[in-house]
Amino acid sequence: MLKFENVYFSYDKNQILNNINFEMKEGEFVYLTGKSGVGKSTILRLINFSEKCDSGSITFDGINYEGIKEKDIPKLRRKLGIVFQDFKFLPDLTVYQNLSYIMEILGYSSRTIRKKIKETLNDVGIFDKKGMLPEQLSGGELQRAAIARALLNNPLLILADEPTGNLDPETSAEILELFIKINKRGTAVLLTTHDYSLIRNERKIFELNDKTLKEKK
Ligand SMILES: Nc1ncnc2c1ncn2[C@@H]1O[C@H](COP(=O)(O)OP(=O)(O)OP(=O)(O)O)[C@@H](O)[C@H]1O
Ligand SMILES: [Mg+2]
C-alpha cells in the first residue's frame, strides 16, 4: 500500500534522509520513532506531497509519486487522513461546523454529512462537544476532534505526527487506544512519536537515526 525505495531527501544542502526503504501493508499499524529533529515529520510530509524527494521512489495505493500529474494529487491525498499539529481548526466554527465544511467542500450531501459526523464524533468519544468552539475543548478532546476530521473521508492510511505530543500520560494512552481501535477496523496507521513509553511492542516499529531507517526487532 505504501512503499519507499531508495528515498533521498535534503532541505537545501542539509541532507535529512539517506536511502530510506520501508513498506506498509494495508491495515498495518506502524510506529515511526527517533530523536527530535531526525526527520520523522519530513517522512510524513513526503507521503503527504508537502515535500518531494530528491531521488528514489514513493508509491502509495499503487501510484508512484514520480511523474504524478498535478490533478491526480488531490485524489490521492483524499486517501490519507492527516493528524498534524499545525493543521488547526477554524476558531470561529464549532467542532461540528469544522467537520461539516470539509465534507461540503468534498461534495457530500447534507444527509451524508450529518450521518457521518454523528458516527465519527461518537467513535472518537466527543459527540457531546459538537457545539463547542475549538478553544473550549481540552487538549485531549481537541486531538479527538482532529482524529475525527482525519476519518471523515474513510482514509486508507492515517498519518499521525506526534499525536500525543502535548498530552499528559493518561490522555496520551487514551488517544493511542483510539488509534488502535481505528486500526482494528482496517485503517492503516503510521504514527510518529519520540515517546518510547507509548509504544506497544506487538506493533511494527521503525526507527530513524542518522538519516537512515531501520526496523526495530
Ligand atoms: N522547511 C524546512 N526547511 C529547512 N529545514 C527544515 C525544514 N523543516 C525541517 N527542517 C529540518 O529538518 C530536520 C528534520 O526535521 P523534522 O521536523 O522532520 O524532524 P522530526 O524528527 O519530526 O523532529 P521532532 O521529533 O522534533 O518533531 C531538522 O533538523 C529540521 O530543522
Ligand atoms: Mg516532527
Side-chain angles (χ1 to χ4, degrees):
M1 178 203 58
L2 175 71
K3 196 170 187 182
F4 274 51
E5 287 171 288
N6 312 112
V7 170
Y8 290 77
F9 178 78
S10 307
Y11 288 112
D12 296 319
K13 291 210 171 68
N14 181 17
Q15 191 188 40
I16 308 293
L17 304 175
N18 181 9
N19 197 14
I20 301 296
N21 291 279
F22 87 103
E23 196 172 350
M24 250 184 101
K25 297 195 176 66
E26 232 162 272
E28 246 183 342
F29 195 121
V30 170
Y31 287 104
L32 179 55
T33 71
K35 294 201 186 81
S36 180
V38 286
K40 302 182 297 296
S41 299
T42 301
I43 288 185
L44 299 193
R45 289 200 288 266
L46 288 169
I47 300 168
N48 186 31
F49 300 95
S50 301
E51 300 289 351
K52 198 171 180 303
C53 63
D54 304 331
S55 64
S57 115
I58 299 174
T59 314
F60 171 55
D61 196 29
I63 311 268
N64 193 318
Y65 285 20
E66 202 187 2
I68 188 171
K69 296 197 189 80
E70 232 10 78
K71 70 169 176 46
D72 291 329
I73 291 178
K75 261 189 264 170
L76 209 51
R77 263 206 178 121
R78 268 174 226 156
K79 295 182 184 177
L80 294 168
I82 309 286
V83 186
F84 286 4
Q85 272 162 4
D86 58 0
F87 186 12
K88 296 282 186 296
F89 288 102
L90 297 173
D92 299 330
L93 298 187
T94 64
V95 169
Y96 187 94
Q97 291 164 337
N98 263 287
L99 302 181
S100 63
Y101 99 89
I102 293 173
M103 292 190 77
E104 281 161 21
I105 292 170
L106 293 170
Y108 289 101
S109 72
S110 43
R111 191 163 165 266
T112 306
I113 293 176
R114 278 198 303 276
K115 187 165 166 275
K116 183 68 182 175
I117 295 181
K118 185 175 179 198
E119 184 186 294
T120 311
L121 286 177
N122 267 321
D123 270 353
V124 303
I126 54 161
F127 184 69
D128 58 330
K129 309 283 177 192
K130 66 182 191 303
M132 305 272 245
L133 294 172
E135 65 178 16
Q136 296 172 317
L137 299 188
S138 71
E141 289 161 355
L142 211 49
Q143 200 54 276
R144 287 172 187 274
I147 296 167
R149 178 174 57 189
L151 288 171
L152 292 177
N153 228 9
N154 305 315
L156 200 56
L157 170 64
I158 291 193
L159 301 177
D161 198 7
E162 300 276 355
T164 60
N166 300 318
L167 305 174
D168 62 71
E170 199 177 320
T171 312
S172 295
E174 283 172 21
I175 294 294
L176 195 61
E177 277 308 318
L178 181 55
F179 280 108
I180 290 169
K181 176 175 115 177
I182 291 164
N183 173 251
K184 280 195 179 135
R185 284 198 230 139
T187 311
V189 176
L190 177 58
L191 188 153
T192 74
T193 181
H194 51 235
D195 184 358
Y196 285 87
S197 70
L198 277 178
I199 291 180
R200 305 272 206 92
N201 284 328
E202 72 272 19
R203 320 265 156 191
K204 211 175 197 179
I205 307 168
F206 285 98
E207 185 174 30
L208 186 59
N209 184 22
D210 198 17
K211 304 173 194 171
T212 57
L213 193 67
K214 289 205 178 78
E215 188 173 351
K216 278 187 85 146
K217 298 282 179 206

